[in-house]
Amino acid sequence: MEDLRDKYEVVIGLEVHAQLKTKSKIFAPDGCEFGKEPNSETSPITLGMPGVLPVLNKEAVNMGILTGLALNCEIPERCKFDRKQYFYPDLPKGYQISQYDEPICVNGYLNVKGKRIGITRAHLEEDAGKLVHAGADGLAGSSYSLVDLNRAGTPLLEIVSEPDMRSSEEARNYMEELRNIVRYIGVCDGNLEEGSMRCDANISIMPKGSKEFGTRAEIKNVNSFSALQRAIEYEIDRQIEIVEEGGKVVQETRLWDDNARETKSMRGKEDAHDYRYFPEPDLMPLKISREWVEEIRAKMPELPQAKRERYMSLGLSEYDASVIVEQMGLALFFDEVLKLGASPKIAVNFIMGEIAAYLKETKLEINETKLTPDNLVELISLIEKNTISNNIGKQIIVDMMKDGSKASEIVEKRGLSQISDTGAIKEIAQKVCDANPAQVTAYKNGKVQLLGFFVGQVMKETKGRANPKAVNEILKEILD
Ligand code: ADP
Ligand code: MG
């Protein structure tokens, strides 16, 4: 397949649905919290009862504008809502309220790892309910399905990219950055596994150098970043095979099966006219004043790209900066620590080292541990003042995460403060030399690399508390 790949150029555009974290639904007062008893969040509006009217949730609009600004979009002065008709048991009204030709955000872009990806538009719409396929093993073995309408009417922002991506890796990078952004600006959980962020990938191939895009297939049902990449890779090979055999790719919607590692045809792709869009008669077109936009812009928090750049300007490597930004909890914690004036270098070593390892092992978020920014800053200051060694710091940080104790308390209680008193170190160093005459002779005969052995023994004797620099100097004095 590899050399065949060289003949073709891949074109990818993503449609990403982000569930907005509003308290109530986009056109109804019922709550949007995940995990409630099925059909408990279902007002007559959500159920599509006759005679009810939708009322637009202003917070959903605020979040739409904020996201648009974060994605460098224009926010037109006017947008409107439209009905998109289709029949499915999880859609009681028989139509979805969406935005067709006048969306809330247009003409944006995102710079992802040096590549600019255009964003065609982002529009507000309501989510559908959920079908629970009962029976043996989900879809395949179902004899009947249950409908849960709690999710129906949850606000979504659908973010549509230009067909600007040229590899599965670029698509993944774009999706990851989009996820970072919606999380940092607080509009969406960005949880692919739970479906609060969902992605449809449009993929086509064309001969290298061609100006004309090939026919695309749309892949649904990818619920992790790695699945997105796998699905795209599979789909590229499938399309190349069809074209190489003289066939034609058909425009259709395909479902990714991550267990079978393949896509399967789901349905022919609807065209816009199949949905019979028309303006939603129950909602006025929405006027968005420039003052409104500026009010929202003023609330924009620091975006992931700016955060990475700031961390790098503090001396972090690009890798470390990216890893921290990927984990929002850690980044916000790090920011608190920086605000309190701690050395970024030492803080990062703890965060990327012992803290990250502990979080991984316990599957906790940093804010679920008992470590506070103040306590980490105190620990760092003890190291900087040479009260304790870096090694002792590494030993006690886990306890600080577990029980919330302060570094100075642990040091005091366990007598961990660093021994810099040369007299005390000299005594121990002499003891170590006396106990290892063979090594002393070898050292004196030129095996100077044994110095490390002696340092290690002294550290062992002092349980890591001796000041390493002083130990080195004193041992050399004794041995040389
Ligand atoms: P629809 O709403 O019917 O799915 P759109 O025209 O809105 O169609 O496009 C959906 C997505 O498909 C966009 O992200 C766009 O970038 C992408 N796309 C369009 N044409 C192609 C193509 N030939 N190959 C790959 N992606 C494409
Ligand atoms: Mg689509």
Side-chain angles (χ1 to χ4, degrees), residues 15 158 218 269:
E15 295 165 276
E158 176 171 344
E218 183 186 37
K269 174 80 188 145

Side-chain angles (χ1 to χ4, degrees), residues 151-197:
R151 197 180 69 183
T154 299
L156 296 176
L157 189 71
E158 176 171 344
I159 303 160
V160 182
S161 85
E162 288 289 301
D164 283 350
M165 288 155 273
R166 293 291 175 270
S167 68
S168 65
E169 196 189 350
E170 282 182 12
R172 180 187 182 141
N173 291 343
Y174 166 80
M175 184 73 190
E176 285 182 342
E177 187 65 350
L178 207 51
R179 201 266 296 253
N180 285 337
I181 290 173
V182 296
R183 293 186 73 206
Y184 275 96
I185 65 177
V187 301
C188 174
D189 289 337
N191 191 327
L192 275 69
E193 282 80 7
E194 282 175 12
S196 65
M197 198 170 178

Side-chain angles (χ1 to χ4, degrees), residues 157-409:
L157 189 71
E158 176 171 344
I159 303 160
V160 182
S161 85
E162 288 289 301
D164 283 350
M165 288 155 273
R166 293 291 175 270
S167 68
S168 65
E169 196 189 350
E170 282 182 12
R172 180 187 182 141
N173 291 343
Y174 166 80
M175 184 73 190
E176 285 182 342
E177 187 65 350
L178 207 51
R179 201 266 296 253
N180 285 337
I181 290 173
V182 296
R183 293 186 73 206
Y184 275 96
I185 65 177
V187 301
C188 174
D189 289 337
N191 191 327
L192 275 69
E193 282 80 7
E194 282 175 12
S196 65
M197 198 170 178
R198 309 192 282 269
C199 168
D200 303 339
N202 294 269
I203 301 152
S204 66
I205 56 163
M206 60 184 177
K208 258 211 179 120
S210 165
K211 291 264 173 324
E212 204 181 315
F213 289 173
T215 304
R216 70 190 150 108
E218 183 186 37
I219 314 297
K220 285 189 181 291
N221 202 35
V222 282
N223 38 29
S224 70
F225 293 113
S226 54
L228 171 66
Q229 231 182 326
R230 282 194 286 275
I232 292 174
E233 289 298 321
Y234 173 88
E235 188 58 23
I236 295 170
D237 285 341
R238 188 187 72 87
Q239 294 187 9
I240 290 179
E241 210 171 296
I242 292 172
V243 174
E244 283 291 319
E245 283 167 4
K248 276 203 162 96
V249 174
V250 290
Q251 185 165 336
E252 62 180 349
T253 299
R254 299 180 68 85
L255 270 191
W256 173 246
D257 180 338
D258 205 42
N259 292 320
R261 300 273 158 103
E262 61 184 19
T263 59
K264 290 191 189 110
S265 181
M266 179 168 116
R267 56 166 190 247
K269 174 80 188 145
E270 290 90 347
D271 282 319
H273 62 254
D274 294 325
Y275 291 123
R276 294 164 299 126
Y277 279 103
F278 65 82
E280 168 59 64
D282 293 337
L283 288 165
M284 298 278 282
L286 182 63
K287 292 258 163 66
I288 300 180
S289 72
R290 299 305 88 183
E291 291 75 35
W292 188 358
V293 173
E294 290 318 308
E295 221 174 89
I296 304 259
R297 196 194 303 276
K299 292 185 194 140
M300 182 72 72
E302 185 179 39
L303 293 172
Q305 182 58 27
K307 216 180 255 303
R308 274 189 295 266
E309 282 164 13
R310 179 163 58 84
Y311 291 169
M312 284 161 68
S313 76
L314 293 172
L316 272 67
S317 69
E318 187 171 1
Y319 176 82
D320 286 354
S322 301
V323 171
I324 294 185
V325 168
E326 279 293 319
Q327 304 174 67
M328 191 168 72
L330 276 189
L332 299 180
F333 188 90
F334 182 46
D335 283 344
E336 288 298 311
V337 169
L338 290 176
K339 249 189 244 159
L340 293 167
S343 140
K345 279 259 164 64
I346 304 182
V348 165
N349 282 339
F350 275 107
I351 288 177
M352 298 283 289
E354 281 64 33
I355 295 178
Y358 178 78
L359 298 179
K360 197 169 171 200
E361 186 193 312
T362 55
K363 298 200 167 64
L364 290 175
E365 293 285 329
I366 182 101
N367 59 5
E368 293 168 320
T369 74
K370 297 229 168 95
L371 183 69
T372 63
D374 281 302
N375 284 358
L376 180 58
V377 171
E378 195 219 15
L379 172 66
I380 292 171
S381 78
L382 291 181
I383 293 172
E384 282 182 314
K385 282 189 298 197
N386 278 326
T387 307
I388 59 171
S389 67
N390 208 30
N391 268 331
I392 295 288
K394 286 181 182 174
Q395 284 172 34
I396 66 178
I397 183 79
V398 171
D399 288 324
M400 294 171 63
M401 283 189 277
K402 280 186 187 155
D403 60 21
S405 46
K406 284 177 65 172
S408 51
E409 286 165 8

